[in-house]
Every structure is written in C-alpha cells, then in structure tokens.
Amino acid sequence: MRRRKRRDGKCFPPAASLYPLYVTAGGAIACFRPSAFSWFVNGAPLSYSCSLGFIMLVMGVTLELNDLLGVLRQKPFSVLFGCLAQYTIMPAFGAIVSRALCLPASLSVGLILLACCPGGTASNVVTLIARGDVPLSIVMTVCTTLAAVLLTPFLTKILAGTYVPVDAAKLSLSTLQVVVIPTLIGSYMQSRFPSSVKLITPFAPLLAVLASSLLASSVFSENVVRLKSSIIDISRSFDQGFLYGLHGILSGELGLVILSILLLHFVGFFVGYLAAAVGGFREKQRRAISIEVGMQNSSLGVVLATSHFSSPMVALPAALSAVIMNIMGSTLGLIWRYIEPQNGKEASTQTKAD
C-alpha cells in the first residue's frame, strides 16, 4: 500500500488517517459492551497516564528538531498567532458554553478542562487531509503542548475554580510528566538514534491513534453505566418518532454533553479560521490554524480529569470529544480537500509575510 507523503517529507500511513473510524467503533463497543474495556479501566489512572505518555513519546519520535526550528524561523508570526488563538478562543467559549447550557458542575469542569487543553496530534492528520500547512500544524501542536504545562492548569483554575477546587500545581506536574517529558524523550531518541528510530517511524502514527482510540473508548465505557438510563430514555423516545427522539437527546444529560461538545468544536473551527483570515494569512495557513484551534488533545483531558477530580463525569466531555471532534474535523478536512487553496491569487495581495 502506498503511503501519502507530507510536505515535511515524512511518510504518513493511510491506516492512521482512519482514526475517526477507530474511535467511533470503540465508542460503539463501549456503549453496547462496556465490560470489553474493563481490563484497561481497572488499571486507571495509571493505565490512562501510561497510554498518553506512549502517544506523546511516539509524537516526539516523529519530530525532527531542525524541521521545527526551520518553521519557527520562517513563520514565527503564524506560530505565535495560532498558539494565542488556541489558548484564548477555546477556553473562553468552553466557559461560555458550559454556562449557557447550565451544565452540572462536574460536566462544566470537564468541558472547560477540555477547552484548555493544547492541540492534539489528530489535527496534523486532518490538516494533511484538508491540504493545509502541515509543518505549521505540527509546530503549533508542539508549542501548545509545551505551553500546556503552565497554561492548561492556570486557565482551568481561573475558569473552572468556581465549580470545584482546582489544584493547578498538581495539574501542571501531571502535564509535565505525561506530555512534555515523553515528547522531549522521543525527540531526543530521533536525533540520537536515527537509524533505529527510522525502522519504527512508519508505524508510529498508527500506534498513536490506536492508543488514543483505546483511551477514549475506555473512559466512555466507564461512564456508560451512569448514562444508561439516559440512553434507554432516548431509545424509547425514538420509538415515538424522530422528533421525539431528537427532543429526548437534547433534554437528557447525555444530549447536553453532546450539544456542548458540538458547539465548542464548531466555534473553534469557525472562529479559528475567521481570526486567521482577519490576520491576513494565506488559505493553507488559515486551514491549519482553524483545525489546530478546533481540535484538542482530548487524551490529555481524560488523563487529567481521571487523575485529579473525584467525579468520573469530569472525564466524559473529553472522552466523547475524541469521537465527535474527529468526525467533525475529518468532515471539514474532506470538504476542504476538494476546494483548491487559492494561494497563488492571495500571494499578490498578501500583506503579512512570515
């Protein structure tokens, strides 16, 4: 099977681009047979932390420091703009959506925590599909991930501290342990042992998306029992007709969570693209920034929620987001794939050059 090549020269296996399919299938299994993931759930939060650490290690292995430094030198304003958009648009709207929908305290904290997380590696996949600026997307993911050590706990404490006590110091330490350190170790391995790493690099993206799918599906399975009554009520509502079923979804707790996640990510994609357009960026950069802002590291949200909050419901928004966000992002990517970026026309009128 031929592999697609990214603009930064690395190969991307097509099997890894099926992440939305994997996580949706895992979510379906978790819904109908939650015990299938009990072996992984019973080891939580250690199993969750180890899986995220593995995902970030794999991400680090695929990074080349020279490539990253090259993008930072060539497009510093794009990277800075994207990082600022990531940590302003999503946290602000996470707080707004949770209040507007009057979510219960645990779900509000979970949604805000998700909104304050950095960009996820799935955004790089979707940017590739959308024919966006892939190197810019990768650098933004790395930069927002490194910044997450301080910004994710700080913003979560400010925005969610009114619902439950938030220990920013412990959140920061966890983020450092399971995100930043594995990423840096992976990057060091890539530069120190290039020949050995080269053997596993083709399989790295697929391993990362499979681990991420397992993590999201396991957390969802953990909450299925608590949501079973809502699911049963929804199925009964659909027996009376589609409109009744739709009303049943929106009026239940599960429906509120799904609606809040849909709104959060829609705003991220839309406002991220709009902000990049107002900022004068070219089409490929707009797409990369839009996708990076709209797609969060839901795995980090799951790990932080299960490790630092007593209510299992805090992890539910991040777990459901892994499914919903990737379906939304992949759909957007496919739409953009068939719309040619008009960089040639924009180049003559471009006012901001990185």
Side-chain angles (χ1 to χ4, degrees):
M1 184 179 292
R2 295 180 63 187
R3 296 187 181 94
R4 300 187 195 100
K5 286 208 170 182
R6 298 190 317 208
R7 285 183 58 192
D8 58 351
K10 296 185 192 302
C11 291
F12 191 88
S17 64
L18 299 177
Y19 178 36
L21 178 62
Y22 302 146
V23 77
T24 303
I29 294 172
C31 189
F32 293 104
R33 194 180 176 188
S35 60
F37 297 96
S38 59
W39 61 275
F40 196 72
V41 173
N42 292 337
L46 180 61
S47 58
Y48 294 169
S49 298
C50 289
S51 63
L52 177 59
F54 173 75
I55 293 167
M56 302 315 297
L57 178 69
V58 167
M59 174 183 169
V61 165
T62 62
L63 297 177
E64 290 187 10
L65 293 178
N66 289 336
D67 291 345
L68 299 182
L69 293 174
V71 175
L72 285 171
R73 285 193 298 265
Q74 296 165 16
K75 305 175 182 179
F77 182 73
S78 299
V79 176
L80 178 61
F81 185 93
C83 291
L84 288 174
Q86 174 74 51
Y87 283 116
T88 53
I89 294 172
M90 294 299 273
F93 278 97
I96 291 171
V97 169
S98 64
R99 288 187 179 276
L101 296 181
C102 298
L103 294 178
S106 57
L107 294 177
S108 293
V109 173
L111 186 70
I112 291 171
L113 177 61
L114 170 67
C116 294
C117 284
T121 53
S123 63
N124 308 147
V125 179
V126 174
T127 301
L128 173 68
I129 296 171
R131 301 164 79 177
D133 192 330
V134 178
L136 173 62
S137 175
I138 294 171
V139 174
M140 283 177 56
T141 299
V142 175
C143 290
T144 56
T145 298
L146 295 175
V149 176
L150 296 176
L151 292 180
T152 296
F154 177 70
L155 292 171
T156 302
K157 184 173 181 62
I158 291 176
L159 298 173
T162 55
Y163 297 101
V164 296
V166 177
D167 193 328
K170 287 185 178 179
L171 282 176
S172 181
L173 180 61
S174 292
T175 307
L176 178 67
Q177 290 173 337
V178 301
V179 176
V180 178
I181 291 177
T183 302
L184 295 178
I185 291 175
S187 184
Y188 172 78
M189 289 170 59
Q190 202 280 337
S191 59
R192 185 70 178 81
F193 311 104
S195 57
S196 300
V197 169
K198 190 176 181 180
L199 297 175
I200 64 171
T201 298
F203 308 101
L206 179 59
L207 292 173
V209 299
L210 289 176
S212 185
S213 301
L214 173 63
L215 180 59
S217 301
S218 298
V219 174
F220 182 55
S221 72
E222 194 177 6
N223 287 278
V224 161
V225 176
R226 299 177 183 86
L227 295 170
K228 210 144 215 177
S229 59
S230 297
I231 295 171
I232 293 173
D233 290 340
I234 289 170
S235 63
R236 288 174 179 169
S237 298
F238 273 106
D239 291 338
Q240 302 176 45
F242 178 77
L243 292 179
Y244 282 101
L246 188 62
H247 179 267
I249 291 176
L250 295 177
S251 60
E253 194 172 59
L254 179 61
L256 277 178
V257 181
I258 293 174
L259 180 60
S260 66
I261 294 169
L262 286 170
L263 289 173
L264 178 66
H265 291 298
F266 175 80
V267 166
F269 291 126
F270 179 74
V271 178
Y273 182 88
L274 188 63
V278 172
F281 294 101
R282 299 181 182 180
E283 178 64 19
K284 289 197 171 190
Q285 294 172 339
R286 294 178 195 176
R287 294 182 184 185
I289 292 172
S290 168
I291 293 167
E292 189 68 24
V293 171
M295 300 189 72
Q296 304 296 90
N297 189 336
S298 54
S299 299
L300 175 61
V302 165
V303 170
L304 294 180
T306 54
S307 301
H308 298 282
F309 297 95
S310 57
S311 173
M313 295 295 283
V314 176
L316 184 60
L320 285 177
S321 170
V323 180
I324 296 171
M325 170 190 71
N326 282 288
I327 293 174
M328 293 176 70
S330 298
T331 302
L332 178 62
L334 286 172
I335 292 171
W336 266 335
R337 185 162 191 81
Y338 294 100
I339 301 176
E340 182 71 28
Q342 299 298 318
N343 284 343
K345 293 180 181 178
E346 292 180 6
S348 60
T349 58
Q350 188 73 14
T351 56
K352 276 187 172 66
D354 287 322

